[in-house]
């Protein structure tokens, strides 16, 4: 039931009383008394999580109204959480809840058994075929969650996303789907320990969410490295064989002595302008052009990947074995989620579209300067086979029983950093008119939300009605001149005691994010993620600064400590923002602008006064422009810790010159990829990685130490 609209069968006077009562209940962060009561604990579908004592007592409510009415039947998958104070460890909360069978979550969402494939009891792949059945369904409201420039500890963006959806689904009776990215095992074992949300706003089972899930990242790793192997193998074989020998091995005769082109080879023939389909009809020149890619090793941009942080693989030398005949070259590894194949997965719209995108990925150039693609190497179809199951989003659930679609990967600093288009589109159709889809963009709004708007929304054709910016008092104090925040070290006293002046000074960062996000034409709601040490005076500063900067609303949230109940006010603000959205989406730059012009538009968005290009970057931009790729959007690889390229420049720096070290092209995914400053695409491990805390209880088989 919508807490803002009374049922129409009430008398007018009684309706106004109930509406007032509900508003007071929402202000107290409690579920309205006139809403449906929780089912008894004996009902196995409607469970209550009890973890020790209750949280702090909420302000008293007025006496409950006694109204003869029929309450709506509650969703059978919604749980009520009895929270504890202080909040237990994330893994303890998650392990205290027995997830519902995912088939129950799917059924409540309107999915029939033929719409999904089960991956165990608590995960399922939602098949893209559901989009065909729902194509006539009106979309729900679309909400994107970004944040201010974070500390290394993170500001609870995923937690806020989950908490908001629990509020919308479990307390405000809205149909809602959370769309999240699959965590990388790099930060899970490195600095973060997990990314399923936190406290009483989590995705469960959180150990499965944080680790292998349904194997999508492993599929990406396999596909990426198959292509890498194909590149070096092709260079090796071309170096040691004549044109005729190479052609004979690429198109060998069968037992009857007949030759044929593999289907993928026909794509290369079309690219070369050769209309023949019989290998025996090719002239010697056509044989040479077809068989010899003549890859320039110095031009290769495709690197191997793995899903762990390993700084010692950033630069390696391959081909040192005795059988490789001196075919040595320098290359390196990226983190798996930075692979272009992850970006393809995030931006694709169908299996057929993914096949085309994978095939046209450019790995480097020929010595004549022509781009070489995965299909030129003959591997595009095989990559699609490895990815054919990964294209389907994974259905999971929150602690309070609301549905979650998990798809694509993180790292908006070095990658696209958004959940997939197909997950969002499926979710928007499933919730329908009046429902809500809340999707998360990585890191601060300067990188994650910018890429969401300028890349993802361009390709999806979707427009958000509301953009959320998650802020914390801790991060604002840092931007106001507070001491460094270092993962693994205790916070300075300034962060756990009241300091209104630091917060006021740091709000310049929040104001810049609000102004940037508003420039897209969407309503901006600030979610103030409250920590236990935050004071009312500090939060008042943030609320006032947010509204002064043009935010639609600014709301204090306690979803980490209270689950969905702590984000009810945020849910109501988001509802109002979505219902009042009227402006069209405005992109930051037109696609027809040149590569440099688009880079410079984004640099200005950051606050830079100009851009400086290295010799390598200039060379790459010139080459990609000649090759016809200048009309693609831009995906900047930049530090997440500052608007600038220097992590230590906090607040809202301006007047700096943004250095572009290199420029790569992700042609299959569909964007140009500049590297800003010293940004690395393979993270390293800290002195004390999170893996010290991660283990398994051998008696129960449960994972310990994830967060």
């Amino acid at each position: 039931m919508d807490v803002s609209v009374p049922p129409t069968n009430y008398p007018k006077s009684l309706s106004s009383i109930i509406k007032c009562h509900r508003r007071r209940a929402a202000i107290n962060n409690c579920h309205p008394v006139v809403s449906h009561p929780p089912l008894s604990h004996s009902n196995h579908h409607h469970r209550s999580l009890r973890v020790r004592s209750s949280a702090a007592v909420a302000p008293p409510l007025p006496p409950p109204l006694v109204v003869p009415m029929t309450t709506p039947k509650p969703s059978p998958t919604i749980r009520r959480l009895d929270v504890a104070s202080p909040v237990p460890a994330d893994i303890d909360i998650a392990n205290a809840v027995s997830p519902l069978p995912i088939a129950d979550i799917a059924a409540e969402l309107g999915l029939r058994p033929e719409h999904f494939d089960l991956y165990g009891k608590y995960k399922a792949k939602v098949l893209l075929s559901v989009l065909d059945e729902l194509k006539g369904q009106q979309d729900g409201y679309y909400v994107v969650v970004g944040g201010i420039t974070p500390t290394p500890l993170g500001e609870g963006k995923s937690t806020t996303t989950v908490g908001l959806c629990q509020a919308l689904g479990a307390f405000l009776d809205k149909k809602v789907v959370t769309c999240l990215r699959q965590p990388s095992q790099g930060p899970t074992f490195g600095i973060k320990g997990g990314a399923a949300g936190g406290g009483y706003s989590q995705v469960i089972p959180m150990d499965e969410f944080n680790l292998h899930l349904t194997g999508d990242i492993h599929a990406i790793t396999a596909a990426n490295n198959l292509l890498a192997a194909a590149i070096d193998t092709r260079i090796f074989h071309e170096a040691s064989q004549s044109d005729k020998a190479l052609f004979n091995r690429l198109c060998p005769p069968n037992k009857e002595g007949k030759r044929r082109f593999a289907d993928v080879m026909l794509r290369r023939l079309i690219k070369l302008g050769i209309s023949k389909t019989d290998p025996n009809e090719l002239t010697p020149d056509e044989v040479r052009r077809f068989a010899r890619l003549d890859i320039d090793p110095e031009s290769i941009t495709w690197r191997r990947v793995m899903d762990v942080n390993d700084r010692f693989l950033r630069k390696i030398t391959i081909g040192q074995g005795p059988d490789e005949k001196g075919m040595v070259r320098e290359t390196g590894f990226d983190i798996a989620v930075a692979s272009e194949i992850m970006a393809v997965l995030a931006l694709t719209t169908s299996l057929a579209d993914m096949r085309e995108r994978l095939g046209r990925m450019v790995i480097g150039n020929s010595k004549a300067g022509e781009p070489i693609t995965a299909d030129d190497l003959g591997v595009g179809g095989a990559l699609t086979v490895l990815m054919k199951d990964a294209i389907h989003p994974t259905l999971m659930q929150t602690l309070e029983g609301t549905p979650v679609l998990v798809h694509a990967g993180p790292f908006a600093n070095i990658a696209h950093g958004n959940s997939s288009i197909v997950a969002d589109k499926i979710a928007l159709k499933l919730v329908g008119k009046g429902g809500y889809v809340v999707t998360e963009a990585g890191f601060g709004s300067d990188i994650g939300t910018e890429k969401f708007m300028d890349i993802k929304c361009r390709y999806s054709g979707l427009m958000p009605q509301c953009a959320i910016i998650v802020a914390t008092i801790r991060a604002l104090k840092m931007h106001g001149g507070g001491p460094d925040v270092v993962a693994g070290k205790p916070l300075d006293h300034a962060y756990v005691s009241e300091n209104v002046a630091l917060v006021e000074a740091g709000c310049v960062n929040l104001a810049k994010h609000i102004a940037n996000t508003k420039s897209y034409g969407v309503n901006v709601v600030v979610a103030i993620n409250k920590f236990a040490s935050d004071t009312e005076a500090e939060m008042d500063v943030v609320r006032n600064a947010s509204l002064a900067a043009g935010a639609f609303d600014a709301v204090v949230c306690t979803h980490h400590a209270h689950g969905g109940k702590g984000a009810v006010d945020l849910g109501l603000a988001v509802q109002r923002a979505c219902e009042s959205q009227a402006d069209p989406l405005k992109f930051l730059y037109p696609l027809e602008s040149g590569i440099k012009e688009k880079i410079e538009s984004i640099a200005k968005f950051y606050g830079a006064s100009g851009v400086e290009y290295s010799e390598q970057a200039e060379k790459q931009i010139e080459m990609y422009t000649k090759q016809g790729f200048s009309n693609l959007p831009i995906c900047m690889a930049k530090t997440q810790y500052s608007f600038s390229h220097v992590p230590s420049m906090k607040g809202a720096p301006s007047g700096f010159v943004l250095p572009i070290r290199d420029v790569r092209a992700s042609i299959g995914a569909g964007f140009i990829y500049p590297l800003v400053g010293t940004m690395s695409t393979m993270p390293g491990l800290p002195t004390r990685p999170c893996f010290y805390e991660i283990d398994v209880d051998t008696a129960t088989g449960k994972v310990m130490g994830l967060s």
Side-chain angles (χ1 to χ4, degrees):
M1 184 185 297
D2 183 344
V3 301
S4 65
V5 182
T8 55
N9 60 332
Y10 289 165
K12 184 176 180 181
S13 59
L14 188 56
S15 295
S16 62
I17 294 170
I18 293 171
K19 186 174 182 179
C20 177
H21 177 78
R22 284 175 169 157
R23 189 179 298 115
R24 293 175 68 185
I27 291 171
N28 285 333
N29 276 348
C30 292
H31 198 52
V33 176
V34 294
S35 178
H36 61 74
L39 299 180
S40 67
H41 297 304
S42 61
N43 186 329
H44 124 122
H45 287 298
H46 192 95
R47 305 175 185 181
S48 175
L49 167 62
R50 296 187 179 275
V51 186
R52 301 196 298 275
S53 62
S54 177
V57 179
L61 290 172
L65 296 175
V66 180
V67 181
M69 59 176 286
T70 302
T71 58
K73 184 178 179 181
S75 165
T77 62
I78 294 299
R79 302 181 188 87
R80 290 289 177 263
L81 304 179
D82 288 342
V83 302
S85 182
V87 179
D90 293 347
I91 189 71
D92 293 336
I93 294 173
N95 284 340
V97 177
S98 296
L100 293 170
I102 200 64
D104 293 357
I105 301 291
E108 184 64 18
L109 193 54
L111 292 167
R112 298 195 302 272
E114 61 267 28
H115 292 149
F116 59 89
D117 289 337
L118 293 173
Y119 276 62
K121 296 179 182 178
Y122 307 123
K123 305 187 297 292
K125 283 283 195 181
V126 179
L127 306 180
L128 299 195
S129 57
V130 72
L131 279 173
D132 295 329
E133 291 197 26
L134 297 176
K135 60 185 176 183
Q137 172 88 319
Q138 188 170 332
D139 287 352
Y141 291 119
Y142 195 30
V143 180
V144 60
V145 180
I148 63 171
T149 306
T151 70
L153 305 179
E155 309 318 307
K157 201 160 66 296
S158 298
T159 305
T160 302
T161 303
V162 174
L164 169 60
C165 291
Q166 290 182 161
L168 288 167
F171 289 87
L172 299 177
D173 297 313
K174 299 296 183 183
K175 199 164 185 182
V176 63
V177 173
T178 313
C179 288
L180 295 178
R181 303 155 297 156
Q182 181 183 351
S184 164
Q185 290 181 168
T188 295
F189 290 104
I191 197 171
K192 289 185 72 175
Y200 290 100
S201 296
Q202 294 188 56
V203 178
I204 56 172
M206 70 98 81
D207 56 335
E208 296 183 29
F209 177 86
N210 281 312
L211 299 175
H212 306 287
L213 198 63
T214 48
D216 292 357
I217 293 180
H218 298 315
I220 289 164
T221 302
N224 185 100
N225 294 342
L226 175 62
L227 179 51
I231 295 166
D232 290 301
T233 297
R234 186 59 173 262
I235 295 172
F236 174 81
H237 288 304
E238 286 191 19
S240 59
Q241 299 180 49
S242 66
D243 294 344
K244 183 177 179 181
L246 193 61
F247 182 73
N248 286 340
R249 286 179 171 86
L250 289 171
C251 299
N254 61 17
K255 293 180 180 179
E256 288 77 35
K258 296 181 179 178
R259 300 178 187 271
R260 56 174 289 274
F261 289 119
D263 288 345
V264 71
M265 294 177 175
L266 300 177
R267 294 170 178 256
R268 176 155 176 79
L269 290 169
I270 292 170
K271 176 180 175 179
L272 295 172
I274 300 172
S275 59
K276 301 169 184 176
T277 57
D278 183 348
N280 296 310
E281 294 179 357
L282 266 60
T283 67
D285 180 63
E286 289 170 338
V287 165
R288 178 191 58 79
R289 291 170 57 213
F290 167 78
R292 196 164 295 280
L293 302 181
D294 202 24
I295 299 170
D296 178 3
E298 295 297 318
S299 75
I300 296 172
T301 55
W302 197 264
R303 292 155 60 94
R304 288 162 173 82
V305 301
M306 62 190 308
D307 196 36
V308 297
N309 293 358
D310 192 342
R311 67 177 67 244
F312 291 97
L313 293 178
R314 290 171 179 169
K315 190 172 184 179
I316 63 170
T317 303
I318 60 171
Q320 297 184 81
D323 295 330
E324 277 60 69
K325 302 179 182 178
M327 302 291 295
V328 177
R329 72 178 182 92
E330 280 191 352
T331 181
F333 274 75
D334 294 333
I335 190 82
V337 292
S339 169
E340 182 177 352
I341 297 178
M342 175 62 86
V344 167
L345 180 67
L347 295 170
T348 196
T349 55
S350 66
L351 183 62
D353 178 62
M354 184 171 73
R355 170 63 185 89
E356 295 305 313
R357 287 175 178 269
L358 291 172
R360 65 173 179 256
M361 293 188 303
V362 173
I363 58 88
N365 302 318
S366 71
K367 291 173 182 174
E370 294 298 319
I372 302 297
T373 68
D375 272 344
D376 287 330
L377 286 156
V379 74
L383 301 181
T384 310
V385 169
L386 287 170
M387 293 293 296
K388 71 178 182 64
D389 295 324
I391 196 174
H392 305 293
T394 300
L395 179 65
M396 297 188 76
Q397 62 191 284
T398 68
L399 285 170
E400 296 190 81
T402 59
V404 181
L405 286 178
V406 186
H407 209 208
F411 287 163
N413 55 346
I414 58 174
H416 166 257
N418 279 267
S419 60
S420 75
I421 287 174
V422 293
D424 289 3
K425 284 193 168 185
I426 289 171
L428 286 165
K429 294 299 183 187
L430 287 172
V431 300
K433 183 178 180 180
Y436 291 81
V437 171
V438 184
T439 189
E440 182 189 5
F443 290 121
S445 299
D446 55 322
I447 47 180
T449 303
E450 186 274 316
K451 292 172 184 177
F452 171 85
M453 300 290 189
D454 287 311
I455 300 176
K456 184 175 178 180
C457 288
R458 283 187 198 269
Y459 284 120
S460 69
L462 300 173
M463 175 183 171
Q465 285 73 47
C466 175
I468 295 172
I469 297 176
V470 178
T472 63
I473 301 298
R474 176 181 68 195
L476 291 172
K477 286 180 176 179
M478 178 190 71
H479 288 294
D484 288 344
V485 176
V486 181
K489 291 185 178 181
L491 286 170
D492 186 271
H493 180 70
Y495 294 108
V496 293
S497 59
E498 183 174 276
N499 193 322
V500 173
L502 270 185
V503 177
E504 286 178 333
C507 281
V508 295
N509 182 268
L510 173 59
K512 176 69 171 171
H513 282 289
I514 292 170
N516 281 359
T517 306
K518 274 178 62 68
S519 70
Y520 290 104
V522 298
N523 286 329
V524 175
V525 173
V526 174
I528 307 168
N529 186 17
K530 185 180 186 302
F531 289 16
S533 60
D534 299 342
T535 69
E536 193 63 36
E538 290 172 330
M539 290 183 291
D540 282 344
V541 166
V542 181
R543 279 192 292 256
N544 293 334
S546 299
L547 297 176
F552 180 88
D553 205 346
V555 183
V556 175
C557 310
T558 61
H559 44 275
H560 182 272
H562 301 115
K565 188 171 77 170
V568 167
D569 286 350
L570 178 61
L572 292 170
V574 167
Q575 181 179 336
R576 292 193 301 271
C578 288
E579 290 172 352
S580 64
Q581 172 62 34
D583 293 340
L585 183 62
K586 304 167 189 172
F587 296 120
L588 187 57
Y589 52 79
L591 287 180
E592 55 269 22
S593 294
I595 293 174
K596 281 190 174 182
E597 287 77 8
K598 286 180 279 200
I599 291 173
E600 287 156 17
S601 293
I602 298 173
K604 184 179 179 182
F605 182 77
Y606 296 154
S609 60
V611 178
E612 182 179 75
Y613 301 92
S614 71
E615 184 179 342
Q616 171 68 8
E618 292 275 13
K619 175 185 171 185
Q620 294 294 98
I621 290 170
E622 182 181 3
M623 179 187 68
Y624 292 138
T625 301
K626 286 181 178 178
Q627 291 175 343
F629 301 139
S630 63
N631 63 338
L632 295 175
I634 302 296
C635 182
M636 300 283 263
K638 182 188 77 71
T639 179
Q640 68 271 32
Y641 295 127
S642 173
F643 277 109
S644 76
H645 58 290
V646 181
S648 60
M649 292 176 67
K650 304 301 183 185
S654 61
F656 56 91
V657 175
L658 195 73
I660 304 299
R661 182 180 91 242
D662 196 2
V663 177
R664 302 174 186 171
S666 294
I667 304 305
F671 53 72
I672 300 295
Y673 180 29
L675 278 71
V676 179
T678 59
M679 199 66 207
S680 172
T681 49
M682 169 57 87
L685 289 170
T687 303
R688 192 185 189 279
C690 290
F691 60 59
Y692 276 95
E693 302 296 332
I694 298 172
D695 210 327
V696 63
D697 184 331
T698 56
T700 64
K702 289 190 173 182
V703 173
M704 304 180 295
L706 290 172
S707 62

